[in-house]
Structure formats: C-alpha cells, structure tokens
Amino acid sequence: MELPGFPVYLQLSEKEFKNRIEKLYRILNACTLCGHKCEVNRHYNRGICNSGMNLKISSVFPHFGEERPLVGTHGSGTIFLSNCNCKCVFCQNFGISHLGEGDMISEEEIASKMIYLQDIGCHNINWVSPTHFAPQLVKALFIAREKGLRTPVVYNTGGYDSPGLIKILAGIIDIYMPDIKYGNNKNAFKYSGVKNYWDIVRVSVKEMYSQVGDLIVDDFGIAKRGLIIRHLVLPNDIAGSSEVLKFIADEISKDSYVNIMKQYTPYFKASNYKELMLGITMQEYLRVLNRAKELGLTRAN
Ligand code: SF4
C-alpha cells in the first residue's frame, strides 16, 4: 500500500527541519520539554530527568516484543534512551530509566545507528522514552535523513510530554505510541511522581491524534502511520482504566488502536506499597477489556 508522503519527515524542507531543531534546542535553555517544567538550563544543570545536553542510550536492537504492527518480520528498530521523566515506583527498566545506565553518544553516531537498523530490515525506528532527549533525537533524524533514512519513526513515550513539544514534532513523527498510565492526577503523582499527568496526557494525545490519526497498516499488517495507545492495567484500579478508556472513546476515536496490557509485575519499589505488591487478577483484566467493548472501542485488545 502506498501512503502519500511517507515517511512524513521526508516531506519537510531542509529549512523547516533546521527551524524545528533550533526551536527544540532553544527549549533546553530553560527546559519545559515535559510536564515537570523544571526550567533548568540543560547546558549546566539537570532537572528531574537527570539529563544534560548529551544523548545517552542503553541499547539499540531489533525488538520482537513490541506490538505486532511494529514488529512484523524483521522487528522494531529500538533505541532505548537512558533516564526518564516519569518515576514509576514499579518501573521494570529502573536500571536504565531511574539509575541512568547507558553510554553517551553523539547525534552523528545515533544517526548511523538508525541507518544500521534500517539496513537490517527493521520496519521502523522506535525511540523509547524520547521526551527528555527530543531535540537531540530530531537533530539525529535530520542527519540520518541526509544519509538515506527512509524508515518511519515511532515516538514511544510515557505520555508526560508538554503539548508544545508535540506541536513542534508535527510533520516529523509518523507513529506516536504514548502510554496513558493513569486516569487521574492523584495516583499519577503518588506512584509516578508526575504532577497534573491526567491533564497533560489528554492534551498531548489529542495533539498527536490530530497530526497522525488512527493507525494505518499496510497489506502485511505493518504500521505505517497513526496512533497506538498503551494502557497498563494496575492492581486495585490504581490506573483508573475506565476513565482512560472513556477519554479515548469519547475524545480521541473509537477506532483507536489500544493495547490493554496485563503484564503488571511488582518490580523496583512496588513492594513498598501493599496495594501494588501483587499482579492483577484475570477478573481485573477482563473487567477492563469488557469496559473497552462497552464503550465501543473497536481496536482495543
Ligand atoms: S525534560 Fe522534563 S524533567 Fe527533564 S529537565 Fe526538562 S522539564 Fe525537567
């Protein structure tokens, strides 16, 4: 299937691409890339994400454990960034996301890694937790485009991106894959240390949807463009799943591709919270799936 203007970043003029990079780097002088709005100058200081100016990554590999439309036959070309702006107490990647394990890398080097992932046949370039490094990644994408990158980018985020950041990414990203972790601000703060999460994620996901629409796949089921939403069901309805699904059905689209995830495991500091100590029950999971059906979501599974 031919999708006009695919990947979308190929359509951006050199001048406009450079203009976006400049805008993004300017934000780093008083960083407001995400909802924390630390306003630190990233040249000299670090905010809650503990990241400076240099990109830091943990791994680059073809991932076969992502959603089926991303994995296809050759995998999703994953670039796992170190550090994170969310501080989930149950984080399964806490070494990378909380402790910052990984290596510094230049924009030029990461551009070459994107080309490598394309060369080995990956169906997309999957930036995992990109928010705090969005300027550097977009600059790397510009360099990779010059070197012949023609593979769509997946912006795979925890959903705590400032809406202003997402607006600047219009015409650069083909596939947005945000988590919607919680359906209320209170639990988001208590368990992930993020203020006003529910307010911010709703505006950002609406902006993502306005740019790319519902997920489009080709004849082989491979994602070409659109929105994929992830929602991890937490025990004792800590995630506010019903509110999350209602928002998607009422304010995004009933045809949204939604991955309702049941693999919650009490990693990291979860054992400090008795309500998070155990995994979810099958009944809890089925209740969320049924709610999605009741709300008329056609691609939730
Ligand atoms: S990305 Fe977010 S957490 Fe990191 S410095 Fe900027 S505003 Fe703060």
Side-chain angles (χ1 to χ4, degrees), residues 244-300:
V244 170
L245 296 174
K246 189 164 172 16
F247 160 69
I248 298 168
D250 292 352
E251 298 185 49
I252 301 293
S253 159
K254 289 198 168 32
D255 294 324
S256 297
Y257 186 104
V258 188
N259 181 5
I260 299 173
M261 301 186 291
K262 58 175 180 290
Q263 67 264 40
Y264 171 74
T265 309
Y267 287 108
F268 196 38
K269 298 179 181 166
S271 58
N272 295 341
Y273 300 80
K274 72 174 183 321
E275 63 278 26
L276 280 174
M277 267 181 185
L278 299 174
I280 61 165
T281 63
M282 190 48 83
Q283 282 90 331
E284 282 177 305
Y285 175 62
L286 291 177
R287 210 177 298 136
V288 177
L289 273 188
N290 284 339
R291 181 69 179 136
K293 212 178 273 176
E294 269 168 31
L295 288 163
L297 287 165
T298 60
R299 297 165 90 191

Side-chain angles (χ1 to χ4, degrees), residues 133-274:
F133 285 130
Q136 295 88 336
L137 288 167
V138 171
K139 184 175 173 192
L141 180 64
F142 177 80
I143 299 167
R145 185 178 80 158
E146 301 286 293
K147 293 179 179 225
L149 193 75
R150 300 289 179 268
T151 305
V153 169
V154 182
Y155 189 88
N156 181 346
T157 170
Y160 196 51
D161 307 79
S162 84
L165 164 60
I166 301 302
K167 277 200 167 85
I168 300 174
L169 299 177
I172 294 175
I173 303 296
D174 277 278
I175 301 162
Y176 283 104
M177 186 157 71
D179 288 321
I180 304 187
K181 292 175 186 285
Y182 302 94
N184 64 72
N185 288 332
K186 193 169 153 238
N187 285 353
F189 185 62
K190 181 170 181 188
Y191 301 107
S192 294
V194 284
K195 282 187 209 148
N196 303 324
Y197 178 83
W198 182 226
D199 303 324
I200 289 168
V201 72
R202 282 180 293 168
V203 180
S204 287
V205 172
K206 277 186 190 177
E207 173 61 30
M208 294 174 194
Y209 183 72
S210 77
Q211 292 176 21
V212 297
D214 289 319
L215 185 70
I216 298 170
V217 297
D218 68 10
D219 297 342
F220 303 98
I222 305 294
K224 305 299 271 184
R225 182 174 295 155
L227 181 68
I228 297 175
I229 299 172
R230 281 178 167 173
H231 176 68
L232 177 68
V233 181
L234 293 175
N236 301 301
D237 197 29
I238 284 169
S241 302
S242 182
E243 288 76 11
V244 170
L245 296 174
K246 189 164 172 16
F247 160 69
I248 298 168
D250 292 352
E251 298 185 49
I252 301 293
S253 159
K254 289 198 168 32
D255 294 324
S256 297
Y257 186 104
V258 188
N259 181 5
I260 299 173
M261 301 186 291
K262 58 175 180 290
Q263 67 264 40
Y264 171 74
T265 309
Y267 287 108
F268 196 38
K269 298 179 181 166
S271 58
N272 295 341
Y273 300 80
K274 72 174 183 321

Side-chain angles (χ1 to χ4, degrees), residues 31-40 42 46-50 85 131-132:
C31 190
T32 53
L33 287 174
C34 81
H36 287 301
K37 296 185 183 159
C38 300
E39 295 192 1
V40 293
R42 296 261 303 259
R46 290 170 182 222
I48 289 172
C49 64
N50 196 27
N85 59 343
T131 314
H132 52 297

